[in-house]
Amino acid sequence: MRIADGVEMLELEMAFAGNASVIHPTLLYDDKHAVLVDVGVPGQLHAIRAAVEKAGVPFERIDAVILTHQDIDHIGSIEAVLGALDPSVAVYAHAEDKPYIEGDKPSIKMTPERVAQMLARMPEDARKQAEAMFLHPPKAKVTNVVADGEILPFFGGVQVVFTPGHTPGHIALYHLPSKTLIAGDSTVSREGKLLGPSAQATPDMPEALASLKKFTALDVAQVICYHGGLCDDHVNEQVRDLTK
């Protein structure tokens, strides 16, 4: 879905343990360059390529990937995506999540103990899928570490908003020209309504809620939530309501 000039919200179907949902990576682009924000779960390279090219952007135009955080539904296809692109493609992430993305530390949510417990409760077909995802998690070298408030030199400027809580190094992104907030998992949405962070998937809710206050300093026209999609109705008011 085209959100603004050079901003495309991708829609990828994700099925896990019998539960189906849609996730929303974002593509930022012009006629020479493209940047992919988050890369879905493992095995979604072909779906990502198809979604990018459906937007009218050659997949090979992607020359950078920004990872909002370490969770596997955001980094799952990173190895496949990078393998299908030029080796010079840059990978951006925050320093706090860098060692998890690079595989030096296990995911803070999917520890070996939690994975073992989860697998033991699953039926066999779902267990095989989970084993492929969690026992050998994807990893990638973070070539560019980003910091809070940094303006990335993409397409008129993309501001990094450090929003820890969901993970220690979670970031959101604010595309200055279109006033589009790419929220990652800092908030989810339902039918255009911002709901705040998912309590079930957020280890530090107080910090995650405090992070939302940073959005009140921005003039936001629309929000892309990775889980929930587009919110474009009185967004600034919705953000303020979340932080009361």
Side-chain angles (χ1 to χ4, degrees), residues 11-16 23 25 36 38-51 59 71-84 128-134 136-139 226:
E11 299 177 271
L12 303 181
E13 294 185 2
M14 179 179 73
F16 177 67
I23 53 178
L36 184 61
D38 291 331
V39 293
V41 298
Q44 289 196 304
L45 171 62
H46 296 302
I48 293 169
R49 182 192 292 271
F59 184 76
D71 287 351
I72 198 164
D73 57 330
H74 293 254
I75 72 167
S77 287
I78 188 63
E79 292 179 357
V81 166
L82 294 179
K128 289 181 179 179
Q129 180 193 22
E131 287 176 346
M133 290 177 66
F134 297 119
H136 304 286
K139 58 184 178 180
Y226 199 74

Side-chain angles (χ1 to χ4, degrees), residues 193-216:
K193 176 70 173 178
L194 296 176
L195 304 177
S198 168
Q200 182 180 6
T202 302
D204 193 334
M205 275 297 284
E207 186 172 42
L209 291 172
S211 291
L212 291 178
K213 295 180 180 179
K214 293 184 176 181
F215 298 156
T216 63

Side-chain angles (χ1 to χ4, degrees), residues 18-216:
N19 298 314
S21 63
V22 177
I23 53 178
H24 300 87
T26 299
L27 182 70
L28 304 173
Y29 63 95
D30 60 19
D31 59 357
K32 294 182 179 179
H33 302 281
V35 174
L36 184 61
V37 182
D38 291 331
V39 293
V41 298
Q44 289 196 304
L45 171 62
H46 296 302
I48 293 169
R49 182 192 292 271
V52 169
E53 295 185 346
K54 182 180 179 181
V57 178
F59 184 76
E60 293 73 20
R61 188 178 296 172
I62 296 171
D63 46 23
V65 175
I66 304 174
L67 300 175
T68 60
H69 62 293
Q70 63 180 274
D71 287 351
I72 198 164
D73 57 330
H74 293 254
I75 72 167
S77 287
I78 188 63
E79 292 179 357
V81 166
L82 294 179
L85 294 169
D86 189 279
S88 65
V89 167
V91 177
Y92 293 73
H94 193 275
E96 290 292 335
D97 269 18
K98 179 176 182 285
Y100 302 94
I101 293 168
E102 294 187 337
D104 294 331
K105 293 183 178 180
S107 166
I108 62 169
K109 300 174 189 177
M110 290 299 169
T111 62
E113 294 78 15
R114 183 178 180 188
V115 170
Q117 293 172 358
M118 180 180 65
L119 293 176
R121 295 192 299 266
M122 287 184 173
E124 184 176 355
D125 56 343
R127 185 166 61 248
K128 289 181 179 179
Q129 180 193 22
E131 287 176 346
M133 290 177 66
F134 297 119
L135 295 183
H136 304 286
K139 58 184 178 180
K141 176 69 176 177
V142 175
T143 60
N144 297 70
V145 171
V146 300
D148 188 31
E150 181 177 355
I151 306 296
L152 303 178
F154 301 133
F155 319 115
V158 177
Q159 181 178 339
V160 176
V161 187
F162 180 42
T163 47
H166 185 74
T167 68
H170 188 285
I171 59 170
L173 302 166
Y174 180 63
H175 181 239
L176 277 71
S178 67
K179 300 181 180 180
T180 300
L181 178 66
I182 303 169
D185 284 356
S186 60
T187 178
V188 300
S189 66
R190 185 182 300 117
E191 298 179 351
K193 176 70 173 178
L194 296 176
L195 304 177
S198 168
Q200 182 180 6
T202 302
D204 193 334
M205 275 297 284
E207 186 172 42
L209 291 172
S211 291
L212 291 178
K213 295 180 180 179
K214 293 184 176 181
F215 298 156
T216 63

